[in-house]
Amino acid sequence: MILLNPYVYANRNGILRLEANSVNVGTTNVTFTFTPHNFLNKAYSGLILFKLPGFTAPSTAVPIVFSTNGKN
């Protein structure tokens, strides 16, 4: 039996960087929307950097949601 270290494949092709296209500030959440990518539905192990647009925070605490490929 061979044991594989799961971190051997982490960031194998570099560090993934995703930039949000837009931000929608609502009363129930803040949603960042990203361009659909087919690789986002695949298994990934490693570091992902997100570039997010600035926004004015709502007066009460709300969840932050990332939305792409029809999923949140």
Side-chain angles (χ1 to χ4, degrees):
M1 178 179 187
I2 298 174
L3 295 178
L4 245 181
N5 182 345
Y7 298 104
V8 169
Y9 298 105
N11 290 337
R12 189 170 195 176
N13 294 321
I15 297 173
L16 182 62
R17 180 181 168 270
L18 297 175
E19 185 171 349
N21 297 328
S22 63
V23 61
N24 181 26
V25 179
T27 56
T28 58
N29 62 28
V30 175
T31 304
F32 290 98
T33 304
F34 296 86
T35 302
H37 295 281
N38 64 359
F39 65 84
L40 291 177
N41 290 329
K42 298 179 182 175
Y44 182 79
S45 174
L47 177 69
I48 299 175
L49 300 177
F50 294 97
K51 183 175 182 185
L52 305 175
F55 67 95
T56 303
S59 57
T60 59
V62 296
I64 294 182
V65 177
F66 286 1
S67 177
T68 191
N69 293 0
K71 296 181 180 179
N72 292 336

Short mmCIF file of all heavy atoms in Angstrom, two decimals:
data_model
loop_
_atom_site.label_atom_id
_atom_site.label_comp_id
_atom_site.label_asym_id
_atom_site.label_seq_id
_atom_site.Cartn_x
_atom_site.Cartn_y
_atom_site.Cartn_z
N MET A 1 0.84 -1.18 0.00
CA MET A 1 0.00 0.00 0.00
C MET A 1 0.89 1.24 0.00
O MET A 1 1.78 1.38 0.82
CB MET A 1 -0.90 -0.03 1.22
CG MET A 1 -1.77 1.15 1.35
SD MET A 1 -2.75 0.87 2.83
CE MET A 1 -3.83 2.17 2.78
N ILE A 2 0.62 2.16 -0.90
CA ILE A 2 1.38 3.40 -1.01
C ILE A 2 0.53 4.54 -0.47
O ILE A 2 -0.62 4.72 -0.88
CB ILE A 2 1.76 3.68 -2.47
CG1 ILE A 2 2.65 2.58 -3.02
CG2 ILE A 2 2.44 5.02 -2.59
CD1 ILE A 2 2.95 2.71 -4.49
N LEU A 3 1.09 5.31 0.44
CA LEU A 3 0.40 6.47 0.97
C LEU A 3 0.86 7.70 0.21
O LEU A 3 2.05 7.92 0.04
CB LEU A 3 0.69 6.64 2.45
CG LEU A 3 0.15 5.53 3.35
CD1 LEU A 3 0.55 5.79 4.80
CD2 LEU A 3 -1.35 5.43 3.25
N LEU A 4 -0.10 8.50 -0.24
CA LEU A 4 0.21 9.72 -0.97
C LEU A 4 -0.06 10.93 -0.09
O LEU A 4 -1.11 11.02 0.54
CB LEU A 4 -0.68 9.82 -2.21
CG LEU A 4 -0.04 9.76 -3.57
CD1 LEU A 4 -1.03 9.89 -4.67
CD2 LEU A 4 1.20 10.47 -3.76
N ASN A 5 0.83 11.85 -0.07
CA ASN A 5 0.63 13.10 0.65
C ASN A 5 -0.33 13.96 -0.19
O ASN A 5 -0.02 14.30 -1.33
CB ASN A 5 1.97 13.81 0.82
CG ASN A 5 1.84 15.11 1.60
OD1 ASN A 5 0.74 15.62 1.77
ND2 ASN A 5 2.95 15.63 2.05
N PRO A 6 -1.51 14.34 0.34
CA PRO A 6 -2.47 15.11 -0.45
C PRO A 6 -1.99 16.50 -0.82
O PRO A 6 -2.52 17.12 -1.73
CB PRO A 6 -3.71 15.17 0.45
CG PRO A 6 -3.18 14.97 1.82
CD PRO A 6 -1.96 14.09 1.69
N TYR A 7 -0.97 17.01 -0.16
CA TYR A 7 -0.49 18.36 -0.44
C TYR A 7 0.55 18.40 -1.55
O TYR A 7 1.01 19.46 -1.93
CB TYR A 7 0.05 19.00 0.84
CG TYR A 7 -1.01 19.12 1.89
CD1 TYR A 7 -1.06 18.26 2.97
CD2 TYR A 7 -2.01 20.08 1.77
CE1 TYR A 7 -2.07 18.35 3.92
CE2 TYR A 7 -3.02 20.18 2.70
CZ TYR A 7 -3.05 19.32 3.77
OH TYR A 7 -4.05 19.40 4.69
N VAL A 8 0.90 17.27 -2.10
CA VAL A 8 1.88 17.23 -3.20
C VAL A 8 1.34 18.00 -4.40
O VAL A 8 2.08 18.64 -5.13
CB VAL A 8 2.20 15.78 -3.58
CG1 VAL A 8 2.99 15.71 -4.88
CG2 VAL A 8 2.96 15.10 -2.46
N TYR A 9 0.03 17.97 -4.61
CA TYR A 9 -0.57 18.59 -5.78
C TYR A 9 -1.11 20.00 -5.51
O TYR A 9 -1.72 20.60 -6.37
CB TYR A 9 -1.69 17.71 -6.32
CG TYR A 9 -1.16 16.37 -6.77
CD1 TYR A 9 -1.38 15.23 -6.01
CD2 TYR A 9 -0.41 16.26 -7.93
CE1 TYR A 9 -0.88 14.00 -6.41
CE2 TYR A 9 0.10 15.03 -8.33
CZ TYR A 9 -0.15 13.91 -7.57
OH TYR A 9 0.35 12.71 -7.96
N ALA A 10 -0.91 20.53 -4.34
CA ALA A 10 -1.42 21.86 -4.00
C ALA A 10 -0.69 22.92 -4.81
O ALA A 10 0.53 22.96 -4.86
CB ALA A 10 -1.25 22.13 -2.51
N ASN A 11 -1.46 23.76 -5.50
CA ASN A 11 -0.94 24.86 -6.31
C ASN A 11 0.11 24.38 -7.31
O ASN A 11 1.10 25.07 -7.57
CB ASN A 11 -0.37 25.97 -5.44
CG ASN A 11 -1.46 26.71 -4.70
OD1 ASN A 11 -2.61 26.72 -5.12
ND2 ASN A 11 -1.11 27.32 -3.60
N ARG A 12 -0.12 23.25 -7.88
CA ARG A 12 0.84 22.67 -8.81
C ARG A 12 1.07 23.56 -10.04
O ARG A 12 2.17 23.61 -10.57
CB ARG A 12 0.35 21.29 -9.24
CG ARG A 12 1.37 20.54 -10.02
CD ARG A 12 0.93 19.13 -10.21
NE ARG A 12 2.07 18.35 -10.64
CZ ARG A 12 2.07 17.08 -10.82
NH1 ARG A 12 0.97 16.40 -10.60
NH2 ARG A 12 3.12 16.45 -11.22
N ASN A 13 0.05 24.24 -10.51
CA ASN A 13 0.16 25.11 -11.69
C ASN A 13 0.17 26.59 -11.31
O ASN A 13 -0.17 27.44 -12.10
CB ASN A 13 -0.98 24.83 -12.66
CG ASN A 13 -0.90 23.45 -13.23
OD1 ASN A 13 0.20 22.98 -13.52
ND2 ASN A 13 -2.02 22.78 -13.39
N GLY A 14 0.56 26.89 -10.10
CA GLY A 14 0.60 28.29 -9.65
C GLY A 14 -0.57 28.60 -8.75
O GLY A 14 -1.43 27.77 -8.49
N ILE A 15 -0.60 29.82 -8.27
CA ILE A 15 -1.67 30.26 -7.38
C ILE A 15 -2.81 30.84 -8.20
O ILE A 15 -2.61 31.75 -9.01
CB ILE A 15 -1.13 31.31 -6.38
CG1 ILE A 15 -0.06 30.67 -5.50
CG2 ILE A 15 -2.26 31.87 -5.52
CD1 ILE A 15 0.65 31.65 -4.59
N LEU A 16 -3.99 30.30 -8.00
CA LEU A 16 -5.17 30.74 -8.72
C LEU A 16 -5.61 32.11 -8.21
O LEU A 16 -5.66 32.34 -7.00
CB LEU A 16 -6.29 29.72 -8.51
CG LEU A 16 -7.61 29.95 -9.20
CD1 LEU A 16 -7.42 29.95 -10.70
CD2 LEU A 16 -8.60 28.89 -8.80
N ARG A 17 -5.92 33.04 -9.13
CA ARG A 17 -6.38 34.38 -8.76
C ARG A 17 -7.69 34.64 -9.48
O ARG A 17 -7.75 34.56 -10.71
CB ARG A 17 -5.36 35.43 -9.16
CG ARG A 17 -5.79 36.83 -8.81
CD ARG A 17 -4.72 37.82 -9.26
NE ARG A 17 -5.20 39.17 -9.21
CZ ARG A 17 -5.81 39.80 -10.21
NH1 ARG A 17 -6.01 39.17 -11.35
NH2 ARG A 17 -6.22 41.04 -10.08
N LEU A 18 -8.74 34.93 -8.73
CA LEU A 18 -10.05 35.23 -9.29
C LEU A 18 -10.44 36.65 -8.94
O LEU A 18 -10.26 37.09 -7.80
CB LEU A 18 -11.11 34.26 -8.75
CG LEU A 18 -10.91 32.79 -9.09
CD1 LEU A 18 -11.97 31.95 -8.39
CD2 LEU A 18 -10.97 32.58 -10.58
N GLU A 19 -10.99 37.36 -9.93
CA GLU A 19 -11.42 38.74 -9.71
C GLU A 19 -12.93 38.82 -9.86
O GLU A 19 -13.49 38.35 -10.85
CB GLU A 19 -10.74 39.66 -10.72
CG GLU A 19 -11.05 41.12 -10.49
CD GLU A 19 -10.21 42.05 -11.36
OE1 GLU A 19 -9.25 41.58 -11.99
OE2 GLU A 19 -10.52 43.24 -11.38
N ALA A 20 -13.58 39.42 -8.88
CA ALA A 20 -15.03 39.56 -8.91
C ALA A 20 -15.43 40.61 -9.95
O ALA A 20 -14.77 41.65 -10.08
CB ALA A 20 -15.57 39.95 -7.54
N ASN A 21 -16.49 40.33 -10.70
CA ASN A 21 -17.00 41.27 -11.70
C ASN A 21 -17.83 42.38 -11.07
O ASN A 21 -17.80 43.51 -11.52
CB ASN A 21 -17.88 40.54 -12.72
CG ASN A 21 -17.11 39.52 -13.50
OD1 ASN A 21 -15.94 39.68 -13.75
ND2 ASN A 21 -17.78 38.45 -13.87
N SER A 22 -18.58 42.00 -10.05
CA SER A 22 -19.48 42.97 -9.43
C SER A 22 -19.76 42.59 -7.98
O SER A 22 -19.47 41.48 -7.55
CB SER A 22 -20.80 43.05 -10.20
OG SER A 22 -21.48 41.81 -10.14
N VAL A 23 -20.33 43.55 -7.28
CA VAL A 23 -20.75 43.32 -5.90
C VAL A 23 -22.15 43.89 -5.74
O VAL A 23 -22.47 44.95 -6.26
CB VAL A 23 -19.76 43.95 -4.88
CG1 VAL A 23 -19.66 45.44 -5.05
CG2 VAL A 23 -20.16 43.60 -3.45
N ASN A 24 -23.02 43.14 -5.05
CA ASN A 24 -24.38 43.58 -4.79
C ASN A 24 -24.59 43.60 -3.28
O ASN A 24 -24.51 42.56 -2.63
CB ASN A 24 -25.39 42.65 -5.47
CG ASN A 24 -26.82 43.10 -5.24
OD1 ASN A 24 -27.07 44.27 -5.03
ND2 ASN A 24 -27.74 42.17 -5.28
N VAL A 25 -24.83 44.77 -2.75
CA VAL A 25 -25.03 44.92 -1.30
C VAL A 25 -26.53 44.96 -1.03
O VAL A 25 -27.23 45.85 -1.50
CB VAL A 25 -24.36 46.21 -0.78
CG1 VAL A 25 -24.59 46.37 0.71
CG2 VAL A 25 -22.88 46.20 -1.11
N GLY A 26 -27.02 43.96 -0.31
CA GLY A 26 -28.43 43.88 0.03
C GLY A 26 -28.62 43.92 1.54
O GLY A 26 -27.66 44.00 2.30
N THR A 27 -29.86 43.83 1.95
CA THR A 27 -30.15 43.85 3.39
C THR A 27 -29.92 42.49 4.03
O THR A 27 -29.77 42.39 5.24
CB THR A 27 -31.61 44.28 3.64
OG1 THR A 27 -32.47 43.40 2.92
CG2 THR A 27 -31.84 45.72 3.19
N THR A 28 -29.88 41.42 3.20
CA THR A 28 -29.70 40.07 3.75
C THR A 28 -28.31 39.49 3.50
O THR A 28 -27.92 38.55 4.17
CB THR A 28 -30.75 39.10 3.17
OG1 THR A 28 -30.62 39.09 1.75
CG2 THR A 28 -32.15 39.52 3.57
N ASN A 29 -27.58 40.04 2.50
CA ASN A 29 -26.22 39.55 2.23
C ASN A 29 -25.47 40.51 1.30
O ASN A 29 -26.07 41.39 0.71
CB ASN A 29 -26.23 38.13 1.66
CG ASN A 29 -26.94 38.03 0.33
OD1 ASN A 29 -27.00 38.98 -0.43
ND2 ASN A 29 -27.48 36.87 0.05
N VAL A 30 -24.18 40.28 1.18
CA VAL A 30 -23.34 40.97 0.20
C VAL A 30 -22.85 39.89 -0.75
O VAL A 30 -22.22 38.92 -0.33
CB VAL A 30 -22.14 41.67 0.88
CG1 VAL A 30 -21.22 42.28 -0.17
CG2 VAL A 30 -22.62 42.74 1.85
N THR A 31 -23.17 40.03 -2.05
CA THR A 31 -22.85 38.99 -3.03
C THR A 31 -21.80 39.49 -4.01
O THR A 31 -22.00 40.51 -4.67
CB THR A 31 -24.11 38.55 -3.81
OG1 THR A 31 -25.10 38.12 -2.88
CG2 THR A 31 -23.79 37.43 -4.78
N PHE A 32 -20.69 38.76 -4.09
CA PHE A 32 -19.66 39.01 -5.10
C PHE A 32 -19.89 38.02 -6.24
O PHE A 32 -20.00 36.82 -6.00
CB PHE A 32 -18.26 38.80 -4.51
CG PHE A 32 -17.87 39.85 -3.51
CD1 PHE A 32 -17.99 39.62 -2.16
CD2 PHE A 32 -17.38 41.07 -3.93
CE1 PHE A 32 -17.63 40.57 -1.24
CE2 PHE A 32 -17.02 42.04 -3.02
CZ PHE A 32 -17.14 41.79 -1.66
N THR A 33 -19.97 38.54 -7.48
CA THR A 33 -20.22 37.70 -8.64
C THR A 33 -18.94 37.57 -9.47
O THR A 33 -18.26 38.55 -9.73
CB THR A 33 -21.34 38.30 -9.51
OG1 THR A 33 -22.49 38.47 -8.68
CG2 THR A 33 -21.68 37.39 -10.67
N PHE A 34 -18.64 36.33 -9.87
CA PHE A 34 -17.44 36.02 -10.64
C PHE A 34 -17.84 35.49 -12.01
O PHE A 34 -18.89 34.88 -12.16
CB PHE A 34 -16.59 34.97 -9.92
CG PHE A 34 -16.05 35.43 -8.61
CD1 PHE A 34 -16.79 35.33 -7.45
CD2 PHE A 34 -14.78 35.99 -8.53
CE1 PHE A 34 -16.30 35.76 -6.24
CE2 PHE A 34 -14.28 36.43 -7.32
CZ PHE A 34 -15.03 36.31 -6.18
N THR A 35 -16.97 35.67 -13.02
CA THR A 35 -17.18 35.11 -14.35
C THR A 35 -17.19 33.59 -14.25
O THR A 35 -16.33 33.03 -13.58
CB THR A 35 -16.05 35.55 -15.30
OG1 THR A 35 -16.02 36.97 -15.35
CG2 THR A 35 -16.24 34.99 -16.69
N PRO A 36 -18.15 32.92 -14.90
CA PRO A 36 -18.16 31.46 -14.87
C PRO A 36 -16.88 30.87 -15.48
O PRO A 36 -16.40 31.33 -16.50
CB PRO A 36 -19.38 31.08 -15.72
CG PRO A 36 -20.25 32.29 -15.68
CD PRO A 36 -19.31 33.46 -15.61
N HIS A 37 -16.34 29.87 -14.81
CA HIS A 37 -15.16 29.15 -15.28
C HIS A 37 -15.45 27.66 -15.14
O HIS A 37 -15.97 27.23 -14.12
CB HIS A 37 -13.92 29.48 -14.41
CG HIS A 37 -13.49 30.90 -14.50
ND1 HIS A 37 -12.76 31.39 -15.54
CD2 HIS A 37 -13.66 31.94 -13.64
CE1 HIS A 37 -12.50 32.67 -15.34
NE2 HIS A 37 -13.05 33.02 -14.20
N ASN A 38 -15.08 26.87 -16.14
CA ASN A 38 -15.36 25.44 -16.04
C ASN A 38 -14.47 24.76 -15.01
O ASN A 38 -14.83 23.75 -14.45
CB ASN A 38 -15.24 24.74 -17.40
CG ASN A 38 -13.83 24.79 -17.96
OD1 ASN A 38 -12.94 25.35 -17.36
ND2 ASN A 38 -13.67 24.21 -19.12
N PHE A 39 -13.29 25.31 -14.71
CA PHE A 39 -12.42 24.67 -13.72
C PHE A 39 -12.91 24.86 -12.30
O PHE A 39 -12.47 24.17 -11.40
CB PHE A 39 -10.97 25.17 -13.84
CG PHE A 39 -10.79 26.62 -13.52
CD1 PHE A 39 -10.63 27.04 -12.21
CD2 PHE A 39 -10.75 27.56 -14.52
CE1 PHE A 39 -10.46 28.37 -11.90
CE2 PHE A 39 -10.57 28.91 -14.22
CZ PHE A 39 -10.43 29.31 -12.91
N LEU A 40 -13.84 25.76 -12.07
CA LEU A 40 -14.33 25.98 -10.71
C LEU A 40 -15.20 24.82 -10.22
O LEU A 40 -15.44 24.70 -9.04
CB LEU A 40 -15.12 27.29 -10.63
CG LEU A 40 -14.28 28.55 -10.77
CD1 LEU A 40 -15.18 29.78 -10.75
CD2 LEU A 40 -13.24 28.65 -9.68
N ASN A 41 -15.67 23.98 -11.13
CA ASN A 41 -16.47 22.82 -10.72
C ASN A 41 -15.61 21.60 -10.44
O ASN A 41 -16.11 20.55 -10.11
CB ASN A 41 -17.51 22.49 -11.79
CG ASN A 41 -18.59 23.54 -11.86
OD1 ASN A 41 -18.92 24.17 -10.87
ND2 ASN A 41 -19.12 23.76 -13.04
N LYS A 42 -14.30 21.72 -10.61
CA LYS A 42 -13.39 20.59 -10.40
C LYS A 42 -12.78 20.65 -9.01
O LYS A 42 -12.75 21.70 -8.37
CB LYS A 42 -12.29 20.63 -11.46
CG LYS A 42 -12.83 20.49 -12.87
CD LYS A 42 -11.73 20.56 -13.88
CE LYS A 42 -12.32 20.47 -15.28
NZ LYS A 42 -11.34 20.65 -16.32
N ALA A 43 -12.30 19.51 -8.55
CA ALA A 43 -11.63 19.46 -7.25
C ALA A 43 -10.36 20.31 -7.31
O ALA A 43 -9.64 20.30 -8.30
CB ALA A 43 -11.29 18.02 -6.90
N TYR A 44 -10.09 21.06 -6.26
CA TYR A 44 -8.91 21.92 -6.22
C TYR A 44 -8.34 21.89 -4.82
O TYR A 44 -9.07 21.91 -3.84
CB TYR A 44 -9.27 23.35 -6.61
CG TYR A 44 -8.09 24.28 -6.63
CD1 TYR A 44 -7.21 24.28 -7.69
CD2 TYR A 44 -7.82 25.12 -5.55
CE1 TYR A 44 -6.11 25.11 -7.71
CE2 TYR A 44 -6.73 25.95 -5.56
CZ TYR A 44 -5.87 25.95 -6.64
OH TYR A 44 -4.79 26.76 -6.65
N SER A 45 -7.04 21.86 -4.73
CA SER A 45 -6.36 21.89 -3.44
C SER A 45 -5.28 22.95 -3.52
O SER A 45 -4.43 22.89 -4.40
CB SER A 45 -5.74 20.53 -3.14
OG SER A 45 -4.96 20.61 -1.97
N GLY A 46 -5.32 23.92 -2.66
CA GLY A 46 -4.29 24.94 -2.66
C GLY A 46 -4.85 26.30 -2.31
O GLY A 46 -5.98 26.45 -1.87
N LEU A 47 -4.05 27.31 -2.55
CA LEU A 47 -4.38 28.69 -2.21
C LEU A 47 -5.08 29.36 -3.38
O LEU A 47 -4.69 29.19 -4.53
CB LEU A 47 -3.08 29.46 -1.90
CG LEU A 47 -3.20 30.94 -1.58
CD1 LEU A 47 -3.90 31.14 -0.25
CD2 LEU A 47 -1.83 31.57 -1.54
N ILE A 48 -6.14 30.10 -3.09
CA ILE A 48 -6.84 30.91 -4.09
C ILE A 48 -6.86 32.34 -3.58
O ILE A 48 -7.24 32.60 -2.43
CB ILE A 48 -8.29 30.42 -4.30
CG1 ILE A 48 -8.32 28.98 -4.79
CG2 ILE A 48 -9.00 31.32 -5.31
CD1 ILE A 48 -9.71 28.41 -4.90
N LEU A 49 -6.46 33.28 -4.43
CA LEU A 49 -6.51 34.70 -4.09
C LEU A 49 -7.72 35.32 -4.77
O LEU A 49 -7.99 35.06 -5.94
CB LEU A 49 -5.24 35.41 -4.56
CG LEU A 49 -3.93 34.89 -3.97
CD1 LEU A 49 -2.76 35.64 -4.58
CD2 LEU A 49 -3.93 35.02 -2.47
N PHE A 50 -8.45 36.16 -4.03
CA PHE A 50 -9.62 36.84 -4.57
C PHE A 50 -9.37 38.33 -4.59
O PHE A 50 -8.96 38.91 -3.59
CB PHE A 50 -10.86 36.56 -3.70
CG PHE A 50 -11.29 35.13 -3.72
CD1 PHE A 50 -10.91 34.26 -2.71
CD2 PHE A 50 -12.09 34.65 -4.74
CE1 PHE A 50 -11.31 32.94 -2.72
CE2 PHE A 50 -12.50 33.33 -4.76
CZ PHE A 50 -12.10 32.48 -3.75
N LYS A 51 -9.63 38.97 -5.76
CA LYS A 51 -9.58 40.43 -5.86
C LYS A 51 -11.03 40.90 -5.85
O LYS A 51 -11.81 40.57 -6.76
CB LYS A 51 -8.88 40.87 -7.13
CG LYS A 51 -8.75 42.37 -7.23
CD LYS A 51 -7.94 42.80 -8.43
CE LYS A 51 -7.82 44.32 -8.43
NZ LYS A 51 -7.14 44.78 -9.64
N LEU A 52 -11.40 41.64 -4.83
CA LEU A 52 -12.78 42.05 -4.63
C LEU A 52 -12.93 43.55 -4.77
O LEU A 52 -12.09 44.31 -4.28
CB LEU A 52 -13.26 41.62 -3.23
CG LEU A 52 -13.09 40.13 -2.90
CD1 LEU A 52 -13.48 39.88 -1.45
CD2 LEU A 52 -13.92 39.29 -3.83
N PRO A 53 -14.01 44.00 -5.44
CA PRO A 53 -14.25 45.44 -5.55
C PRO A 53 -14.67 46.02 -4.20
O PRO A 53 -15.24 45.31 -3.36
CB PRO A 53 -15.38 45.55 -6.58
CG PRO A 53 -16.07 44.23 -6.55
CD PRO A 53 -15.03 43.23 -6.14
N GLY A 54 -14.38 47.28 -3.99
CA GLY A 54 -14.78 47.94 -2.75
C GLY A 54 -16.28 48.15 -2.71
O GLY A 54 -16.95 48.22 -3.73
N PHE A 55 -16.82 48.24 -1.51
CA PHE A 55 -18.25 48.49 -1.34
C PHE A 55 -18.47 49.14 0.01
O PHE A 55 -17.63 49.07 0.90
CB PHE A 55 -19.06 47.19 -1.46
CG PHE A 55 -18.82 46.20 -0.36
CD1 PHE A 55 -19.64 46.16 0.75
CD2 PHE A 55 -17.75 45.30 -0.42
CE1 PHE A 55 -19.42 45.25 1.78
CE2 PHE A 55 -17.52 44.39 0.59
CZ PHE A 55 -18.36 44.36 1.69
N THR A 56 -19.61 49.78 0.14
CA THR A 56 -20.00 50.37 1.42
C THR A 56 -20.77 49.33 2.20
O THR A 56 -21.79 48.81 1.73
CB THR A 56 -20.88 51.62 1.20
OG1 THR A 56 -20.15 52.54 0.39
CG2 THR A 56 -21.23 52.28 2.52
N ALA A 57 -20.27 49.00 3.37
CA ALA A 57 -20.88 47.95 4.18
C ALA A 57 -22.26 48.37 4.67
O ALA A 57 -22.50 49.54 4.97
CB ALA A 57 -19.98 47.64 5.37
N PRO A 58 -23.19 47.40 4.74
CA PRO A 58 -24.50 47.71 5.31
C PRO A 58 -24.38 48.01 6.80
O PRO A 58 -23.37 47.69 7.43
CB PRO A 58 -25.31 46.43 5.07
CG PRO A 58 -24.34 45.39 4.69
CD PRO A 58 -23.07 46.04 4.29
N SER A 59 -25.41 48.62 7.35
CA SER A 59 -25.36 49.05 8.76
C SER A 59 -25.40 47.88 9.74
O SER A 59 -24.96 48.01 10.87
CB SER A 59 -26.51 50.01 9.05
OG SER A 59 -27.74 49.39 8.76
N THR A 60 -25.92 46.73 9.31
CA THR A 60 -25.94 45.55 10.16
C THR A 60 -25.05 44.47 9.55
O THR A 60 -24.79 44.47 8.35
CB THR A 60 -27.37 44.98 10.31
OG1 THR A 60 -27.87 44.64 9.02
CG2 THR A 60 -28.30 45.98 10.97
N ALA A 61 -24.61 43.54 10.38
CA ALA A 61 -23.76 42.45 9.89
C ALA A 61 -24.58 41.49 9.02
O ALA A 61 -25.67 41.08 9.40
CB ALA A 61 -23.15 41.69 11.06
N VAL A 62 -24.05 41.18 7.83
CA VAL A 62 -24.71 40.25 6.91
C VAL A 62 -23.67 39.29 6.35
O VAL A 62 -22.48 39.59 6.34
CB VAL A 62 -25.43 40.99 5.75
CG1 VAL A 62 -26.56 41.85 6.26
CG2 VAL A 62 -24.44 41.81 4.96
N PRO A 63 -24.10 38.11 5.89
CA PRO A 63 -23.15 37.15 5.31
C PRO A 63 -22.57 37.67 3.99
O PRO A 63 -23.22 38.43 3.27
CB PRO A 63 -23.98 35.90 5.04
CG PRO A 63 -25.30 36.12 5.70
CD PRO A 63 -25.45 37.56 5.96
N ILE A 64 -21.35 37.23 3.68
CA ILE A 64 -20.73 37.52 2.38
C ILE A 64 -20.83 36.26 1.55
O ILE A 64 -20.45 35.17 2.00
CB ILE A 64 -19.28 37.97 2.56
CG1 ILE A 64 -19.26 39.32 3.28
CG2 ILE A 64 -18.56 38.05 1.22
CD1 ILE A 64 -17.91 39.91 3.49
N VAL A 65 -21.34 36.39 0.32
CA VAL A 65 -21.62 35.25 -0.56
C VAL A 65 -20.80 35.41 -1.84
O VAL A 65 -20.76 36.49 -2.41
CB VAL A 65 -23.12 35.17 -0.90
CG1 VAL A 65 -23.41 34.05 -1.86
CG2 VAL A 65 -23.95 35.04 0.37
N PHE A 66 -20.15 34.32 -2.30
CA PHE A 66 -19.48 34.29 -3.58
C PHE A 66 -20.39 33.53 -4.54
O PHE A 66 -20.86 32.44 -4.21
CB PHE A 66 -18.13 33.59 -3.50
CG PHE A 66 -17.05 34.39 -2.81
CD1 PHE A 66 -17.30 35.64 -2.29
CD2 PHE A 66 -15.79 33.88 -2.70
CE1 PHE A 66 -16.29 36.37 -1.66
CE2 PHE A 66 -14.78 34.59 -2.07
CZ PHE A 66 -15.02 35.84 -1.55
N SER A 67 -20.64 34.09 -5.71
CA SER A 67 -21.56 33.48 -6.67
C SER A 67 -20.87 33.31 -8.02
O SER A 67 -20.33 34.27 -8.57
CB SER A 67 -22.80 34.35 -6.82
OG SER A 67 -23.67 33.83 -7.79
N THR A 68 -20.89 32.08 -8.56
CA THR A 68 -20.40 31.79 -9.91
C THR A 68 -20.94 30.45 -10.36
O THR A 68 -21.30 29.61 -9.54
CB THR A 68 -18.86 31.79 -9.98
OG1 THR A 68 -18.46 31.76 -11.34
CG2 THR A 68 -18.25 30.65 -9.23
N ASN A 69 -21.00 30.27 -11.65
CA ASN A 69 -21.48 29.02 -12.25
C ASN A 69 -22.85 28.61 -11.71
O ASN A 69 -23.13 27.43 -11.54
CB ASN A 69 -20.49 27.87 -12.03
CG ASN A 69 -19.19 28.08 -12.79
OD1 ASN A 69 -19.02 29.08 -13.48
ND2 ASN A 69 -18.28 27.16 -12.68
N GLY A 70 -23.68 29.58 -11.37
CA GLY A 70 -25.02 29.29 -10.87
C GLY A 70 -25.09 28.79 -9.45
O GLY A 70 -26.11 28.31 -9.00
N LYS A 71 -23.96 28.88 -8.73
CA LYS A 71 -23.93 28.39 -7.35
C LYS A 71 -23.42 29.49 -6.43
O LYS A 71 -22.64 30.33 -6.82
CB LYS A 71 -23.04 27.16 -7.23
CG LYS A 71 -23.53 25.98 -8.02
CD LYS A 71 -22.63 24.79 -7.85
CE LYS A 71 -23.15 23.62 -8.66
NZ LYS A 71 -22.29 22.45 -8.52
N ASN A 72 -23.85 29.41 -5.18
CA ASN A 72 -23.37 30.35 -4.15
C ASN A 72 -22.55 29.62 -3.14
O ASN A 72 -22.76 28.47 -2.86
CB ASN A 72 -24.55 31.02 -3.44
CG ASN A 72 -25.31 31.93 -4.36
OD1 ASN A 72 -24.80 32.42 -5.34
ND2 ASN A 72 -26.57 32.16 -4.03
#
